[in-house]
């Protein structure tokens, strides 16, 4: 009789009805004599059958809106990129941003539009702002020091978080690494009363190109400190956004 | 394959990819992030996909690799702790049936979900890809990036652990109900 060790790899194939002939005969002969392998074959068949029976329910449906959000990721980066334009593939630009802008510029040539790179970046940030505030629960008692330490330890993003905003009514409610721009952007989430405010910190050397602009119903204000460009963004009038950005920039500008 | 057809076929997989992502991350918000990032990468790499080859396997491979990258980069960071609180239950479709069948289905699905979640990630993924997604051993080896022998041992071990877990749950259920029962008798 085959040893259990020899038979073991074949048991799965028999449970899956993938084995035939001599292979199947070896397993059937063995399990007729070996209780342990008989139980193993029974267990594999039962588990497999159960999962197959319930596969439709287990798969279920993706949450509402996920499909459209996934579809949105195809523009404009969905088209195959043969060769980036040299001007926009310069070193230092994150790859995702470069691809986005390359295709946006290529598209603009076709449609006769002129792309605004600052607005393209701000639009990405606005989308991330919406996504993060929509998807994630807000923890209580989040410490700026913890967020700062984790950004550095986990993602290599070394920044000094603004301090003292609490006195101005701004509360830190979350910190994440932005999935866009190859994950090199820190995304800090604040609340000012009912207003959701995002503060993005771009990698060293990157600029937004404009100090203030409106995009997708949100106002964005960029400022520089610590050698980085910071972008404050919220769905508020631009004048109010300027005031909020001044709070962030006030402590060590 | 033209890009419109590619996008349409890829987006048709969103339910399956989300379900698999949920099994990988065990967190709905992270699963949504993972699926979105998967599509971002897939669309960006659309030119590398060869028409007529296995799009489903290609997408699952991207999902798997994206998950590994995210896990490596993010870990279980306090920064992302906000996402941990998000409910994990997927939106499960209910088929028609009498009340008893529906009750049993709900109980069994809950047990199945819990037993799957109890598996170690490598076993859970192998069992899911084989028994729920019906991928071949070769396809799973390609998706996960391990030898076929490893795939088969993970499937074997994972199924056994799943079975033992379900039997234990079934025994507890039978004790509570004051009746005998095994996992087969509860299958509906």
């Amino acid at each position: 009789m085959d040893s259990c060790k020899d038979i073991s790899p074949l048991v799965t194939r028999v449970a899956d009805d993938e084995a035939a002939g001599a292979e199947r005969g070896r397993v059937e002969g063995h399990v007729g004599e070996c209780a342990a392998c008989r139980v193993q074959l029974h267990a594999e068949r039962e588990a497999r059958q159960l999962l197959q029976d319930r596969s439709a329910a287990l798969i279920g449906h993706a949450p509402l809106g996920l499909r459209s959000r996934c579809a949105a990721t195809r523009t404009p980066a969905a088209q195959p990129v043969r060769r980036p334009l040299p001007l926009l593939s310069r070193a230092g630009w994150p790859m995702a941003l470069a691809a986005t802008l390359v295709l946006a510029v290529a598209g603009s040539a076709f449609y006769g539009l002129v792309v605004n790179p600052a607005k393209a970046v701000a639009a990405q940030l606005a989308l991330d702002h919406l996504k993060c505030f929509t998807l994630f629960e807000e923890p209580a008692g989040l410490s700026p020091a913890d967020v700062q330490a984790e950004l550095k330890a986990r993602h290599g993003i070394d920044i000094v978080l603004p301090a003292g905003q609490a006195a101005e009514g701004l509360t830190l409610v979350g910190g994440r690494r932005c999935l866009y721009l190859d994950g090199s952007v820190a995304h800090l989430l604040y609340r000012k009363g009912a207003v959701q405010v995002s503060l993005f910190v771009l990698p060293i050397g990157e600029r937004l190109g404009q100090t203030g602009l409106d995009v997708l119903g949100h106002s964005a204000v960029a400022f520089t400190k610590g050698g980085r460009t910071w972008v404050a963004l919220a769905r508020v009038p631009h004048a109010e956004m300027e005031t909020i950005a001044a709070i962030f920039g006030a402590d060590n500008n | 394959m033209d890009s419109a057809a590619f996008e349409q076929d890829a987006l048709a997989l969103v339910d399956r990819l989300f379900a698999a992502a949920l099994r990988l991350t065990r967190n709905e918000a992270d699963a949504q992030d993972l699926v979105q990032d998967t599509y971002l990468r897939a669309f960006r790499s659309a030119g590398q996909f060869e028409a007529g080859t296995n799009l489903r396997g290609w997408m699952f491979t991207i999902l798997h690799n994206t998950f590994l990258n995210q896990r490596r980069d993010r870990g279980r960071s306090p920064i992302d702790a906000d996402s941990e609180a998000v409910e994990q239950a997927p939106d499960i479709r209910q088929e028609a049936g009498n009340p008893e069948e529906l009750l049993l289905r709900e109980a069994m699905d809950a047990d199945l979900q819990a037993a799957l979640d109890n598996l170690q990630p490598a076993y859970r993924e192998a069992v899911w890809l084989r028994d729920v997604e019906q991928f071949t051993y070769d396809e799973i080896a390609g998706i996960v990036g391990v030898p076929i022998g490893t795939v088969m041992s993970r499937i074997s071990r994972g199924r056994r652990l799943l079975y033992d877990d379900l039997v234990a749950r079934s025994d507890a259920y039978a004790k509570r109900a004051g009746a005998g029962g095994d996992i087969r008798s509860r299958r509906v």
Side-chain angles (χ1 to χ4, degrees):
Chain A
M1 186 174 81
D2 290 305
S3 70
C4 296
K5 189 176 177 183
D6 292 335
I7 285 296
S8 178
L10 303 181
V11 169
T12 299
R13 289 176 51 78
V14 171
D16 284 347
D17 291 328
E18 296 271 351
E23 202 172 60
R24 188 176 192 90
R26 282 175 64 192
V27 173
E28 287 174 348
H30 181 91
V31 299
E33 304 287 330
C34 174
C37 290
R38 188 161 57 246
V39 170
Q40 176 68 28
L41 178 59
H42 172 75
E44 287 204 42
R45 279 178 166 154
E46 283 282 302
R48 172 178 182 255
Q49 191 63 51
L50 191 58
L51 287 165
Q52 286 185 347
D53 287 350
R54 304 305 300 147
S55 61
L58 286 168
I59 290 170
H61 296 293
L64 287 175
L66 180 60
R67 181 189 167 93
S68 58
R69 289 196 297 278
C70 291
T73 66
R74 69 190 164 188
T75 50
Q79 307 305 318
V81 181
R82 297 290 182 201
R83 184 187 300 164
L85 297 177
L87 176 64
L88 291 165
S89 62
R90 63 187 173 85
W93 278 100
M95 187 178 297
L97 174 59
T100 299
L101 295 180
V102 164
L103 288 161
V105 169
S108 73
F110 185 83
Y111 292 110
L113 301 174
V114 177
V115 72
N116 177 342
K119 200 151 192 171
V121 175
Q124 292 259 28
L125 299 181
L127 290 172
D128 202 61
H129 164 85
L130 287 168
K131 185 185 74 171
C132 287
F133 272 107
T134 301
L135 292 181
F136 299 106
E137 297 288 336
E138 296 176 8
L142 195 62
S143 152
D146 286 346
V147 172
Q148 189 172 300
E150 285 299 321
L151 281 170
K152 184 174 183 180
R154 299 280 182 183
H155 308 306
I157 299 175
D158 191 5
I159 57 171
V160 178
L161 262 65
Q165 286 75 41
E168 304 285 346
L170 273 163
T171 306
L172 179 64
V173 295
R176 293 173 56 78
R177 186 183 60 152
C178 184
L179 284 179
Y180 296 117
L181 313 182
D182 277 354
S184 55
V185 175
H187 181 190
L188 308 169
L189 294 85
Y190 292 84
R191 273 195 179 275
K192 189 174 192 300
V195 178
Q196 299 167 335
V197 179
S198 282
L199 184 58
F200 295 95
V201 191
L202 304 190
I204 290 174
E206 299 304 337
R207 299 281 184 273
L208 189 62
Q210 285 182 238
T211 54
L213 47 84
D214 296 330
V215 62
L216 301 176
H218 291 68
S219 298
V221 171
F223 56 95
T224 303
K225 69 174 182 177
R228 292 174 179 269
T229 295
W230 301 60
V231 182
L233 185 147
R235 188 186 287 276
V236 294
H238 198 79
E240 188 177 345
M241 195 69 250
E242 294 273 10
T243 304
I244 294 172
I247 298 171
F248 286 125
D251 59 330
N252 57 354
N253 250 348
Chain B
M1 177 183 284
D2 64 63
S3 64
F6 169 82
E7 289 164 11
Q8 185 177 359
D9 290 351
L11 287 168
L13 298 169
V14 70
D15 288 344
R16 291 181 173 280
L17 290 168
F18 176 72
L22 201 54
R23 295 274 79 77
L24 290 170
T25 63
R26 294 191 287 176
N27 177 293
E28 183 167 339
D30 287 346
Q32 292 197 40
D33 263 358
L34 175 56
V35 173
Q36 278 185 254
D37 212 19
T38 296
Y39 275 98
L40 182 68
R41 288 163 192 254
F43 289 142
R44 195 184 290 167
S45 308
Q48 296 169 18
F49 177 72
E50 294 178 25
T53 59
N54 184 355
L55 177 62
R56 196 166 65 100
W58 191 73
M59 292 294 294
F60 271 81
T61 303
I62 295 175
L63 180 84
H64 174 85
N65 291 333
T66 305
F67 170 68
L68 292 187
N69 289 339
Q70 286 188 356
R71 190 173 63 172
R72 183 194 60 212
D73 292 346
R74 294 160 68 178
R76 291 178 63 84
S77 161
I79 284 178
D80 293 326
D82 47 358
S83 63
E84 299 290 336
V86 179
E87 286 298 322
Q88 298 179 16
D91 177 16
I92 300 294
R93 176 179 50 209
Q94 291 291 343
E95 300 91 341
N98 65 44
E100 185 183 2
E101 283 180 344
L102 287 175
L103 194 63
L104 282 170
R105 273 185 196 150
E106 284 184 4
M108 180 46 100
D109 286 345
D111 281 352
L112 254 183
Q113 301 267 9
L116 278 165
D117 284 347
N118 276 346
L119 292 178
Q120 288 182 30
Y123 297 147
R124 183 168 59 241
E125 186 177 28
V127 168
W128 184 272
L129 292 175
R130 177 64 190 156
D131 293 335
V132 177
E133 285 296 337
Q134 310 274 312
F135 281 111
T136 66
Y137 307 133
D138 277 341
E139 287 172 333
I140 297 170
I143 290 168
V144 180
V146 298
I148 196 166
T150 304
V151 168
M152 297 193 68
S153 66
R154 286 180 182 178
I155 292 169
S156 173
R157 183 75 179 135
R159 283 176 177 164
R160 181 59 186 270
L161 290 168
L162 186 76
Y163 175 83
D164 289 346
D165 191 332
L166 289 169
V167 167
R169 289 169 193 274
S170 185
D171 288 346
Y173 174 84
K175 281 180 185 171
R176 286 198 301 274
D182 56 19
I183 72 167
R184 183 179 289 276
S185 70
R186 292 187 58 203
R187 190 194 304 160
V188 291

